[in-house]
């Protein structure tokens, strides 16, 4: 029987079983009569509780659990189809070499004598928003000032919201130093942090000198663009009047600093190589990454400018520009150096914002997307279903609920069976397609639960990867361990509660010499143990450990599920005690 046929049959049977059980609970009096007919002595308390549990298990718990399994199987198939379609698009783009230069009109700017032919160059504003960035401010300002562009056709605008006087003074001195060297650079501050980054960018656009600019390039404080960045991006905007944004790819200078940064690089590699490229190649829509991109100022203003209604002002402006009929372009081989968070608390804050923000934006913008008259039906479906619902909602729910809660619980309920194709083949195929987007994670096929398959994949993949072969198992376990944080943030965003508007600036160290980085790490004050502990992750780790031990003692071990459960419980304990990152 094919997986799809089996999937439809299981979903129908589980739902019918749930409805039948609920009707039995409403109509049957035997469920409560068993307790009334038994003598009220202490000797029968255990028997009475056992009978109650057996009745509740048969009539309520198992049917509900079967229904949840069926629901997860539906989401698994949906997500598999989504990943498969994205893989096909990326394969098509690579196979037929559908580079942006072939799809959009592009002509190189004259570089023989930049200063003499400056009048042919458009005016560009480069914005660098900062907040207490003394570790990276010098390198980011220097990189922006070294961009190859006529000096009279570019303005560097440093937007400093620092509350630390030392950081603010350092940024001011750096701006003055470059100004003395002839760079057109301005240092802008404000007396509040209203709107956070969106508020700073919005205030920066109000200055009179911005009116003469045609385009605006944005770089976060830890980003270092190459000198030819504008030469590779601005021509697309000049020759394609329907383009609003040209987005570059992030490259990480500290990817090898620790295990956690390597795992982050794997996840972000898939995001850029697959998700961003698919959106750009199919419907000319994707989420602006907030940095390493160039906007057409007229498109920015027409779309309403920067809005701080959520903590993802970058994705918000991309959605609103698309609803106005503008197109967005992503260039995969345009890399901009940046830094990954190497502190686990910094990563948790970043992942909370990256998950809660899109969910909250989905809640607020879904109606506008549906009602928009400037967007085709196909693009609306892509934005609502693929971009928001599948990638920002279902992906997090499926990872946490199915792989970390429901699948482990099947060892406690032998009546509930998960088909082999759902517990083994489907996650293996999903991981295979995801691994294509990041070669360093090809071994993550080991998310499946068949030992022979894991060993076979290890042998095969060792031909393609060398120094990172062991990271792929850790990547699967780490992503699952982070799923609890992301699911909690997802709920906050969808229901607009809790820390939905929380904005914590990601800690940065700079990309200096390794000895400098090591010295900074060792000189940091010791973090108290209670500040490193995350109780929910520890509770889930204990739950997975119990399920794993139960499977070893009482389980049939047909899928060797206990291997995954014990490994995943260890990952949750490591995360729960904060033994991750620097």
């Amino acid at each position: 029987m094919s997986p799809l046929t089996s999937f439809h049959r299981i979903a129908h049977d589980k739902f019918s079983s749930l409805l039948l059980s609920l009707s039995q609970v409403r109509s049957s009096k035997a469920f409560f009569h068993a307790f009334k007919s038994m003598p009220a002595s202490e000797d029968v308390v255990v028997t009475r509780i056992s009978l109650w549990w057996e009745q509740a298990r048969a009539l309520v718990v198992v049917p509900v659990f079967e229904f949840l399994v069926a629901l997860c199987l539906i989401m698994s198939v949906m997500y598999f189809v989504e990943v498969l379609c994205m893989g096909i698009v990326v394969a098509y783009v690579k196979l037929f070499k559908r580079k942006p230069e072939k799809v959009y009109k592009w002509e190189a700017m004259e570089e023989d004598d930049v200063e003499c032919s400056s009048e042919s160059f458009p005016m560009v504003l480069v914005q660098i928003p900062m907040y207490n960035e003394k570790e990276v401010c010098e390198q980011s300002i220097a990189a922006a000032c070294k961009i190859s562009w006529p000096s009279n056709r570019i303005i560097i605008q440093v937007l400093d919201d620092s509350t630390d006087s030392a950081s603010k003074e350092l940024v001011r001195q750096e701006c003055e130093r470059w100004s003395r060297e002839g760079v057109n650079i301005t240092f802008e501050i404000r007396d509040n942090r209203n709107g956070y980054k969106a508020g700073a960018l919005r205030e920066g656009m109000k200055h009179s000198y911005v009116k003469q600019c045609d385009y605006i390039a944005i770089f976060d404080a830890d980003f270092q663009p190459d000198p030819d960045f504008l030469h590779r991006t601005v021509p697309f905007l000049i020759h394609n009047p329907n383009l609003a944004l040209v987005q570059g790819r992030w490259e990480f200078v500290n990817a090898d600093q620790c295990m956690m940064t390597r795992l982050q690089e794997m996840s972000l590699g898939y995001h850029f190589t697959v998700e961003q490229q698919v959106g750009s190649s199919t419907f000319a829509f994707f989420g602006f990454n907030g940095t390493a991109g160039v906007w057409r100022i007229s498109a920015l203003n027409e779309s309403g400018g920067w809005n701080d209604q959520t903590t993802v002002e970058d994705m918000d402006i991309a959605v609103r520009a698309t609803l106005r009929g503008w197109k967005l372009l992503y260039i995969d081989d345009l890399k901009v150096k940046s830094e990954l968070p190497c502190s686990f608390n910094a990563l948790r804050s970043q992942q909370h914002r990256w998950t809660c923000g899109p969910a909250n934006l989905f809640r607020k913008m879904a109606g506008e997307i549906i009602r928009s008259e400037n967007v085709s039906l196909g693009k609306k479906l892509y934005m609502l279903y693929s971009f928001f619902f599948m990638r920002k909602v279902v992906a997090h729910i499926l990872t946490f609920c199915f792989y970390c809660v429901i699948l482990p619980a099947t060892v406690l309920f032998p009546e509930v069976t998960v088909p082999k194709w759902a517990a083994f083949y489907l996650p293996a195929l999903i991981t295979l397609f995801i691994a294509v987007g990041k070669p360093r994670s090809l071994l993550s096929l080991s998310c499946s639960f068949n030992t022979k398959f894991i060993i076979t994949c290890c042998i095969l993949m060792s031909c393609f990867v060398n120094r990172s072969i062991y990271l792929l198992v850790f990547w699967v376990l780490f992503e699952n361990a982070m799923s609890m944080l992301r699911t909690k943030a997802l709920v906050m965003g969808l229901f607009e509660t809790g820390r939905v508007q929380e904005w914590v600036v990601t800690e940065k160290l700079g990309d200096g010499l390794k000895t400098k980085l090591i010295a900074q790490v060792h000189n940091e004050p010791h973090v108290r143990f209670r500040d490193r502990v995350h109780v929910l992750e520890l509770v889930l780790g204990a739950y997975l450990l119990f399920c794993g031990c139960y499977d070893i003692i009482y389980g049939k071990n047909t899928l060797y599920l206990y291997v995954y459960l014990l490994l995943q419980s260890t990952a949750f304990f490591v995360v729960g005690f904060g033994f991750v990152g620097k």
Side-chain angles (χ1 to χ4, degrees):
M1 184 180 295
S2 66
L4 286 178
T5 304
S6 175
F7 165 74
H8 288 300
R9 181 175 61 80
I10 291 173
H12 178 270
D13 292 346
K14 302 303 182 186
F15 185 71
S16 300
S17 175
L18 175 64
L19 296 179
L20 178 61
S21 300
L22 293 176
S23 64
Q24 289 176 345
V25 171
R26 291 194 302 266
S27 61
S28 177
K29 296 181 180 180
F31 184 78
F32 301 100
H33 180 71
F35 300 100
K36 297 180 180 179
S37 62
M38 297 180 66
S41 63
E42 296 181 0
D43 296 337
V44 297
V45 170
V46 175
T47 305
R48 179 177 295 185
I49 294 176
S50 177
L51 178 60
W52 176 86
W53 168 244
E54 290 300 326
Q55 292 279 356
R57 178 188 179 106
L59 296 178
V60 179
V61 177
V62 171
V64 170
F65 197 74
E66 289 178 336
F67 176 74
L68 293 177
V69 169
L71 193 61
C72 288
L73 297 186
I74 293 173
M75 290 191 292
S76 295
V77 173
M78 292 168 59
Y79 190 61
F80 169 73
V81 173
E82 174 70 15
V83 172
L84 176 62
C85 291
M86 289 194 294
I88 293 174
V89 172
V90 172
Y92 172 79
V93 171
K94 298 294 185 182
L95 184 62
F96 293 94
K97 299 180 179 180
R98 299 283 294 174
K99 293 185 176 181
E101 291 82 356
K102 293 184 178 181
V103 179
Y104 293 90
K105 186 177 180 181
W106 185 88
E107 294 180 6
M109 307 289 291
E110 294 294 334
E111 299 185 53
D112 294 337
D113 192 346
V114 172
E115 296 298 333
C116 291
S117 57
S118 63
E119 294 303 323
S120 62
F121 283 71
M123 197 73 179
V124 178
L125 175 70
V126 178
Q127 284 187 322
I128 310 176
M130 292 189 174
Y131 176 73
N132 297 338
E133 312 279 6
K134 61 182 179 182
E135 292 84 1
V136 295
C137 65
E138 295 180 355
Q139 65 190 34
S140 61
I141 293 175
C145 292
K146 292 178 181 178
I147 292 178
S148 176
W149 204 254
S151 59
N152 63 333
R153 309 299 294 173
I154 185 172
I155 302 174
I156 312 295
Q157 185 188 65
V158 179
L159 305 169
D160 190 15
D161 276 358
S162 297
T163 55
D164 176 49
S165 57
S167 297
K168 183 173 293 187
E169 180 62 21
L170 183 61
V171 173
R172 185 187 62 79
Q173 292 178 2
E174 189 67 13
C175 292
E176 291 178 353
R177 183 175 74 85
W178 282 102
S179 179
R180 289 193 297 268
E181 295 185 14
V183 177
N184 189 2
I185 185 171
T186 64
F187 174 65
E188 307 292 353
I189 61 174
R190 54 182 185 150
D191 56 4
N192 60 72
R193 288 195 68 213
N194 294 340
Y196 302 110
K197 181 181 176 181
L201 295 174
R202 185 171 56 241
E203 287 298 316
M205 296 292 291
K206 294 180 180 180
H207 295 279
S208 58
Y209 55 81
V210 176
K211 296 180 180 180
Q212 59 183 312
C213 298
D214 304 297
Y215 308 108
I216 175 174
I218 302 172
F219 301 102
D220 282 349
D222 59 314
F223 278 72
Q224 305 170 56
D226 289 335
D228 66 344
F229 180 85
L230 292 181
H231 281 279
R232 297 191 59 186
T233 55
V234 172
F236 283 106
L237 297 169
I238 294 176
H239 299 292
N240 300 274
N242 58 344
L243 273 181
L245 165 70
V246 178
Q247 170 76 60
R249 175 180 181 145
W250 299 0
E251 186 178 41
F252 310 106
V253 297
N254 65 332
D256 294 324
Q257 185 173 346
C258 63
M259 175 73 73
M260 192 181 73
T261 55
R262 294 184 183 184
L263 301 180
Q264 292 177 71
E265 183 193 26
M266 293 178 182
S267 299
L268 289 172
Y270 175 77
H271 166 70
F272 284 104
T273 302
V274 178
E275 293 179 344
Q276 296 293 75
Q277 191 160 224
V278 167
S280 177
S281 302
T282 53
F283 294 99
F285 166 76
F286 53 87
F288 174 45
N289 294 116
T291 178
V294 183
W295 277 92
R296 187 188 303 273
I297 291 183
S298 60
L300 198 65
N301 293 332
E302 182 183 319
S303 304
W306 298 106
N307 194 320
D308 58 0
Q309 65 173 334
T310 69
T311 56
V312 283
E313 76 294 327
D314 43 13
M315 188 180 295
D316 178 76
I317 188 63
V319 170
R320 286 187 285 113
T322 301
L323 296 183
R324 290 279 186 172
W326 292 96
K327 293 184 177 182
L328 315 179
L329 173 64
Y330 167 74
I331 306 178
D332 190 57
D333 61 355
L334 177 61
K335 299 179 180 180
V336 181
K337 295 177 182 178
S338 63
E339 182 180 326
L340 290 164
C342 55
S343 163
F344 185 54
N345 286 333
L347 176 64
R348 286 177 63 88
S349 299
Q350 182 193 71
Q351 292 299 309
H352 171 86
R353 178 163 52 87
W354 285 3
T355 306
C356 181
N360 191 231
L361 183 65
F362 182 35
R363 168 194 172 104
K364 294 181 176 180
M365 296 296 294
E368 292 188 34
I369 295 174
I370 295 173
R371 295 189 298 269
S372 176
E373 299 179 356
N374 298 320
V375 179
S376 65
L377 179 61
K379 183 176 285 191
K380 288 181 181 180
L381 290 175
Y382 174 79
M383 295 174 70
L384 292 171
Y385 177 78
S386 295
F387 182 79
F388 277 114
F389 182 65
M390 290 306 303
R391 301 180 204 169
K392 311 302 181 186
V393 178
V394 170
H396 301 307
I397 294 177
L398 181 64
T399 302
F400 175 68
C401 294
F402 187 48
Y403 296 111
C404 297
V405 178
I406 295 178
L407 186 62
T410 57
V411 303
L412 306 176
F413 300 94
E415 307 96 319
V416 181
T417 58
V418 178
K420 193 173 183 179
W421 61 265
F424 170 58
Y425 297 113
L426 205 59
L429 288 173
I430 290 175
T431 313
L432 172 63
F433 288 119
I434 292 178
V436 172
K438 45 185 187 303
R440 295 179 67 171
S441 57
L442 287 172
L443 199 60
S444 56
L445 292 168
S446 57
C447 69
S448 57
F449 312 119
N450 185 292
T451 304
K452 292 181 179 179
F453 187 79
I454 294 175
I455 296 174
T456 303
C457 288
C458 291
I459 295 174
L460 293 175
M461 294 307 121
S462 64
C463 299
F464 300 97
V465 289
N466 295 317
R467 65 191 184 95
S468 301
I469 191 170
Y470 65 94
L471 292 177
L472 303 158
V473 175
F474 291 105
W475 175 79
V476 174
L477 299 175
F478 184 70
E479 284 294 298
N480 288 345
M482 293 296 293
S483 65
M484 170 175 276
L485 170 72
R486 292 167 179 156
T487 303
K488 186 169 66 173
L490 173 68
V491 173
M492 290 182 185
L494 288 177
F495 293 96
E496 205 162 17
T497 184
R499 298 180 294 125
V500 67
Q501 291 294 335
E502 181 183 72
W503 180 290
V504 179
V505 177
T506 305
E507 176 189 7
K508 307 175 185 71
L509 293 178
D511 67 336
L513 297 175
K514 291 183 178 180
T515 54
K516 178 182 176 181
L517 291 175
I518 294 173
Q520 286 178 340
V521 172
H522 285 304
N523 291 334
E524 286 185 352
H526 178 69
V527 180
R528 292 179 300 178
F529 178 76
R530 65 181 181 183
D531 294 333
R532 300 174 64 102
V533 172
H534 307 287
V535 178
L536 292 179
E537 280 78 0
L538 293 177
V539 171
L540 191 56
Y543 163 73
L544 293 172
L545 179 61
F546 171 77
C547 292
C549 295
Y550 188 93
D551 190 41
I552 293 175
I553 300 173
Y554 301 105
K556 298 179 181 179
N557 298 330
T558 55
L559 294 176
Y560 299 98
L561 188 59
Y562 65 88
V563 176
Y564 161 73
L565 295 176
L566 295 180
L567 289 174
Q568 191 62 67
S569 67
T570 303
F572 270 100
F573 283 131
V574 171
V575 169
F577 284 115
F579 297 136
V580 184
K582 67 179 182 63

